Amino acid sequence: MYDIKALYEAESVDHAVQLLQEHPQAQIIAGGSDVLVQIREGKRAGKELVSIYGIDAMRGVSYEADGTIRIGSLTSFSHITKDPIIKEHIRVLGEAVDMVGGPQIRNIGTIGGNTCNGVTSADSASTLHAWDAVVEITGPQGVRRIPIHDFYIKAGVVDLKPAELQTALLIPKKAYEGYVGHYIKYAMRNAMDIATTGCSVNVKLSQDKQTIEDARIAYGVAGPVPMRAPSAEAKAKGKPVSAQTVKEFAAEVLTDINPRDSWRASKAFRQHIAVVLAERALKESIRLAGGEINE
C-alpha cells in the first residue's frame, strides 16, 4: 500500500538534523496527513522518511521571555484551537485551523506541516501572515528566524535548506498586543474542501474606538503564495472607523493581489470575492475590537 524505502525516527531536533544529513534524499514526516497520501498516490513512492513526530519539544504553545507567542511546529490544529494562550491573544488562528479538513485530520495534522507544504490555500498561512509571524528553522548551522513572508519562495517551495527543519512559529508581542482579527474561508462547500480564497484581517483601534490605528490583511489563493495587501493596509491606517473607510480598504486589495484562473474559480471571480471578503473581515474585526461602524 505504501512504497517506503526506509523510516528513521528522530528522538530530538538535533537527532533529526543528524538523520537529514545522513540521508540527504529523505523526506520529513510529521502527522503524515499529506505525505502518506502523496506516497500512496505514487508521487513520493520509494522515499526515505525521517519521522519527527516523537519530538515532544516541538509541541505546544508557550510564551518566550519577551512575550512572543511560540507555537511548536508539531502542535496539532486541535491543540491550537483549544489552547488558552491562542484563545486569549490570537483566537482567529484557532478559528482558521479549525476549518482544516475533518476532526481526524485536525487531530493529527500539524501547523508546521501546513506551512511547510508551501501551498497558498493553507488555512493557517494567511492568518499567520496577517499576524507578522516569524518562522524558526533549525539545521546544521544552528537556528535562524525569518519572517513568514520570506519563508514562502514560490508555489510549493519554502526556504528550507538541506538538513533543516521548521521547529516553531512565533508571533511577536508587538504583532498581537491590542489587535483583534477575523478569518473567512470561501470554498465551494462547507464540508472538507480547499479554500477558493481565504482572507484574514486584524485591526488595532484607538482607545476611543473611533480610529483604525493599524490594519493588516492577508490572503490565500490570491497569488502563488500567501500574501499581504500592503496598499489596502495603508488605505485604512489612521482612518476613522466608518463604512467609507471599509469600502476604500476593500477596493484597494485589487492593487496587490494576483489570483489566477483555475478549474475551481476564474481570476475575475477570485478578485470579486477578495473584495467582498476584505470588507466583511474588516467589519467583523472592528466589531470584535469594540468598534461600531456608522453606515
Side-chain angles (χ1 to χ4, degrees):
M1 185 182 292
Y2 293 103
D3 182 3
I4 299 170
K5 182 178 180 180
L7 174 65
Y8 310 100
E9 294 193 48
E11 298 174 357
S12 66
V13 172
D14 288 343
H15 189 212
V17 172
Q18 177 189 331
L19 288 170
L20 291 169
Q21 287 179 294
E22 294 172 353
H23 308 279
Q25 301 305 314
Q27 164 82 47
I28 293 174
I29 183 170
S33 56
D34 287 317
V35 172
L36 290 177
V37 171
Q38 292 164 358
I39 290 174
R40 189 172 183 178
E41 291 175 343
K43 296 176 182 177
R44 298 182 185 272
K47 280 283 189 180
E48 293 178 289
L49 300 178
V50 171
S51 174
I52 60 173
Y53 197 69
I55 307 175
D56 286 339
M58 288 175 57
R59 282 190 175 82
V61 182
S62 60
Y63 293 111
E64 296 197 331
D66 63 355
T68 293
I69 295 174
R70 179 184 182 87
I71 307 169
S73 292
L74 286 180
T75 309
S76 71
F77 300 127
S78 296
H79 182 129
I80 289 170
T81 300
K82 298 172 184 176
D83 188 88
I85 294 175
I86 299 295
K87 284 184 174 181
E88 181 179 358
H89 296 294
I90 44 174
R91 178 181 291 270
V92 61
L93 179 60
E95 294 169 349
V97 300
D98 202 39
M99 298 180 189
V100 177
Q104 298 93 334
I105 294 296
R106 293 194 291 272
N107 286 340
I108 196 72
T110 64
I111 194 163
N114 201 227
T115 50
C116 286
N117 267 343
V119 297
T120 184
S121 58
D123 288 300
S124 68
S126 55
T127 298
L128 289 167
H129 272 69
W131 290 87
D132 284 338
V134 174
V135 181
E136 180 185 274
I137 299 164
T138 305
Q141 307 305 316
V143 177
R144 62 188 179 101
R145 292 180 170 183
I146 60 174
I148 195 166
H149 173 76
D150 297 330
F151 183 63
Y152 286 80
I153 297 173
K154 61 182 181 179
V157 179
V158 295
D159 185 12
L160 283 175
K161 297 178 173 58
E164 286 189 331
L165 68 155
Q166 185 201 106
T167 44
L169 289 150
L170 312 164
I171 313 294
K173 188 175 183 178
K174 65 179 181 181
Y176 70 79
E177 194 170 51
Y179 287 83
V180 180
H182 185 60
Y183 172 72
I184 302 175
K185 175 179 180 175
Y186 180 88
M188 299 303 290
R189 57 196 182 119
N190 291 329
M192 293 182 286
D193 201 0
I194 295 172
T196 302
T197 302
C199 177
S200 192
V201 173
N202 58 52
V203 297
K204 183 177 184 180
L205 300 184
S206 59
Q207 191 170 0
D208 63 4
K209 310 299 182 184
Q210 298 299 306
T211 304
I212 298 174
E213 290 190 358
D214 194 20
R216 298 191 294 245
I217 179 170
Y219 284 98
V221 208
V225 295
M227 62 191 301
R228 291 274 287 272
S231 298
E233 294 174 352
K235 199 76 173 178
K237 189 172 183 176
K239 297 293 178 62
V241 173
S242 67
Q244 181 179 347
T245 297
V246 172
K247 288 284 187 185
E248 291 175 354
F249 167 85
E252 194 67 24
V253 301
L254 295 176
T255 302
D256 299 308
I257 65 172
N258 185 32
R260 65 184 177 91
D261 288 308
S262 77
W263 66 270
R264 289 184 178 276
S266 68
K267 177 176 181 177
F269 181 72
R270 283 197 169 104
Q271 288 175 320
H272 170 72
I273 288 297
V275 173
V276 173
L277 296 188
E279 183 174 341
R280 291 179 182 176
L282 180 57
K283 282 183 176 179
E284 182 62 10
S285 295
I286 289 171
R287 187 191 71 80
L288 292 169
E292 186 176 340
I293 297 173
N294 296 316
E295 298 293 342

